[in-house]
Amino acid sequence: MSNYFANVPVVKYEGPKSKNPFAFKFYDAEKVIVGKKMKDHLKFALSWWHTMCGAGSDPFGVGTMDRSYGKSDPMEIAKAKVDAAFEFMQKLGIEYFCFHDADIAPAGNDFAETKKNLAEIVDYISGKMKETGIKNLWGTTNAFGHPRFMHGAGTSCSADSFAYAAAQIKNAIDATIKLGGTGYVFWGGREGYETLLNTDMGLELDNMARLMKMAVEYARSKGFKGDFYIEPKPKEPTKHQYDFDTATVLGFLRKYGLDKDFKMNIEANHATLAGHTFQHELRVARINGVFGSIDANQGDPNLGWDTDQFPTNVYEATLCMYEVIKAGGFTNGGLNFDAKVRRASFTFDDIAHAYISGMDAFALGLIKAYEIIEDGRIDKFLDERYASYKSGIGKDIVEGKADLEKLEAYTLANGEPKLESGRQEMLEGILNSIIFG
Ligand code: XUL
Ligand code: CO
């Protein structure tokens, strides 16, 4: 094993009283909770782009972190990143990783060389996976960073850019299949618009669907059995992104007949950018049967952009895990930390602290979510709140045995509805008593 994270030991569970910064306080990987190990409930994944590549640059300044791993040749850097990534995952007990094509292998002088670089690094990663048992959660394509995608990829006005994105997607799918990935993500970084004055929205959406259909057909023809995911985000980098939120994406998938193959990859900070809570996005996905995977992070309520911070908010993590449990848990998906350390947290140790805090927050969220369910008061209240649909006129409405005339007769006979309190404050108190109890 390499030693890039020299100060980071193999991180173990030491319990809530531990003051060791390199120990888990709540995440006890092997502990069984309701019939499943914590690690299998949570399926933590490392995001290659932020963790191995992110150097801390922002619109006002250059990077603060050296992510060259002591090498200078791009392919050597890419291989050192693989070594460092597997060292880190082994030390923290992270069993999955997620990648974009561009994170794992450098671009060549032309597409043929880029393709060759990717294949070589995929082989290298494959060797490490065999050695360690670490798995690929999902792969994706970076079809947003390069200037050739300035007008979009699948939604570009240029058919050549569309073709280039398609060529990249083909190779990223090949890489995902080779690495045994159980998911393939579409996040439409440039799939949106800046002004409708220059945008043929109808054609752009049709083309985006065409590209996704091609990806599904290709991957299925190569035996890919995993899930495709769309990752909704309302804005940034474009002013309006077509995959605005889960509800919008659902309409799109259904219109183009893509709903059998695609599920959602819900990202916390994207939900808040759309004016929703993380829980809202998860709930919409759950009730529509398209909950797939999670990009775990958090934003800052005082900042209006995608800050991609490590998630440490236990309320959010608890309500997230409540939805995950209610959705039946993860199948092909998992919890990918699409999060980056702050620009001033520039040491390798900081990456470990960040993951430990995030993993502990979600472990606590898992424990508390099961406590909410076991306690039963919130679920019981919810069930009873809608009791009027279980008998009488409510049952008739649900079973399609009511029409406007019948309901008018009912209202004439029964008069004003007799309503009950929504008890929001009481429920919030119950939540607090469980989280802090
Ligand atoms: C961008 C974002 C991406 C996707 C993968 O906001 O979340 O990193 O997760 O392309
Ligand atoms: Co993401």
Side-chain angles (χ1 to χ4, degrees):
M1 191 157 72
S2 61
N3 202 24
Y4 291 104
F5 293 86
N7 298 328
V8 181
V10 171
V11 178
K12 301 211 176 77
Y13 171 72
E14 291 186 2
K17 295 223 161 24
S18 169
K19 295 209 165 38
N20 176 2
F22 291 118
F24 293 119
K25 320 296 182 296
F26 302 102
Y27 180 56
D28 188 0
E30 300 294 324
K31 185 178 171 182
V32 174
I33 296 186
V34 193
K36 216 155 76 171
K37 287 181 181 174
M38 251 184 165
K39 63 176 192 173
D40 298 324
H41 278 291
L42 292 163
K43 291 182 71 184
F44 289 131
L46 167 139
S47 61
W48 207 279
W49 51 105
H50 287 314
T51 314
M52 309 321 300
C53 312
S57 62
D58 70 13
F60 302 95
V62 297
T64 56
M65 308 167 199
D66 184 0
R67 293 288 181 262
S68 62
Y69 304 89
K71 311 281 181 204
S72 49
D73 171 68
M75 284 299 275
E76 290 305 310
I77 294 175
K79 283 182 187 162
K81 273 182 194 169
V82 178
D83 297 341
F86 280 81
E87 175 195 331
F88 184 76
M89 290 188 278
Q90 279 178 285
K91 285 181 166 172
L92 270 90
I94 296 170
E95 296 193 338
Y96 298 87
F97 66 93
C98 301
F99 70 96
H100 299 80
D101 49 1
D103 320 323
I104 58 172
N109 290 318
D110 55 18
F111 190 73
E113 198 185 344
T114 302
K115 183 179 160 83
K116 195 171 131 288
N117 289 349
L118 181 65
E120 191 178 326
I121 299 294
V122 165
D123 278 346
Y124 192 68
I125 293 178
S126 202
K128 289 276 173 193
M129 289 171 72
K130 283 192 194 99
E131 265 170 56
T132 60
I134 288 169
K135 300 177 272 289
N136 174 225
L137 189 68
W138 52 256
T140 187
T141 308
N142 182 332
F144 43 84
H146 194 279
R148 72 175 69 88
F149 300 120
M150 69 171 77
H151 300 299
T155 63
S156 177
C157 51
S158 156
D160 286 353
S161 297
F162 182 109
Y164 208 105
Q168 253 185 268
I169 288 169
K170 175 186 172 290
N171 284 276
I173 287 174
D174 288 342
T176 305
I177 293 175
K178 180 124 199 235
L179 297 175
T182 51
Y184 185 85
V185 167
F186 276 84
W187 170 61
R190 304 273 169 197
E191 314 293 33
Y193 65 81
E194 297 297 332
T195 171
L196 287 174
L197 292 173
N198 67 10
T199 302
D200 183 343
M201 190 192 270
L203 178 66
E204 290 199 2
L205 285 164
D206 288 350
N207 280 349
M208 192 161 93
R210 287 183 179 111
L211 186 58
M212 287 175 182
K213 205 161 247 170
M214 286 179 203
V216 170
E217 279 165 9
Y218 177 74
R220 297 294 182 222
S221 80
K222 298 287 169 191
F224 179 66
K225 302 247 177 334
D227 290 323
F228 285 88
Y229 303 116
I230 291 191
E231 185 176 320
K233 185 174 183 181
K235 57 188 168 190
E236 202 200 359
T238 67
K239 156 186 147 144
H240 176 93
Q241 309 242 148
Y242 291 130
D243 298 332
F244 194 91
D245 62 1
T246 302
T248 309
V249 168
L250 262 174
F252 169 86
L253 292 176
R254 287 174 181 162
K255 173 175 176 187
Y256 294 101
L258 290 161
D259 48 322
K260 300 284 168 293
D261 292 285
F262 277 86
K263 293 193 165 89
M264 299 295 149
N265 183 39
I266 307 282
E267 179 161 326
N269 204 167
H270 296 180
T272 48
L273 287 180
H276 303 311
T277 61
F278 186 19
Q279 189 186 13
H280 167 95
E281 284 294 84
L282 292 161
R283 180 73 61 94
V284 175
R286 163 158 85 85
I287 63 168
N288 286 289
V290 289
F291 166 68
S293 202
I294 287 178
D295 269 9
N297 61 17
Q298 69 189 27
D300 184 311
N302 295 324
L303 300 174
W305 62 91
D306 195 10
T307 60
D308 280 339
Q309 287 164 236
F310 270 84
T312 52
N313 182 323
V314 177
Y315 270 95
E316 295 291 317
T318 301
L319 296 172
C320 164
M321 291 315 297
Y322 175 83
E323 295 300 325
V324 173
I325 294 166
K326 293 278 177 184
F330 290 116
T331 44
N332 286 328
L335 253 163
N336 168 45
F337 286 103
D338 192 356
K340 59 188 177 209
V341 288
R342 299 303 85 194
R343 192 164 182 267
S345 306
F346 61 91
T347 72
F348 279 126
D349 294 3
D350 288 304
I351 302 179
H353 295 316
Y355 271 85
I356 291 168
S357 297
M359 291 162 80
D360 267 339
F362 271 88
L364 202 43
L366 173 72
I367 294 166
K368 294 296 169 186
Y370 268 119
E371 281 180 27
I372 293 172
I373 292 167
E374 203 181 307
D375 173 272
R377 279 175 290 170
I378 292 177
D379 283 346
K380 183 162 175 277
F381 183 85
L382 190 64
D383 191 49
E384 286 173 359
R385 188 160 185 240
Y386 298 90
S388 66
Y389 289 95
K390 287 186 184 141
S391 61
I393 196 69
K395 194 160 184 262
D396 288 349
I397 292 171
V398 169
E399 291 176 354
K401 292 179 188 152
D403 58 21
L404 292 187
E405 283 166 339
K406 183 169 172 176
L407 294 172
E408 184 194 41
Y410 179 86
T411 300
L412 285 169
N414 289 275
E416 278 300 316
K418 286 160 208 69
L419 300 179
E420 304 276 348
S421 165
R423 301 263 183 253
Q424 179 172 337
E425 297 78 2
M426 182 193 82
L427 295 166
E428 287 167 345
I430 293 174
L431 183 60
N432 271 352
S433 72
I434 293 171
I435 290 185
F436 296 102

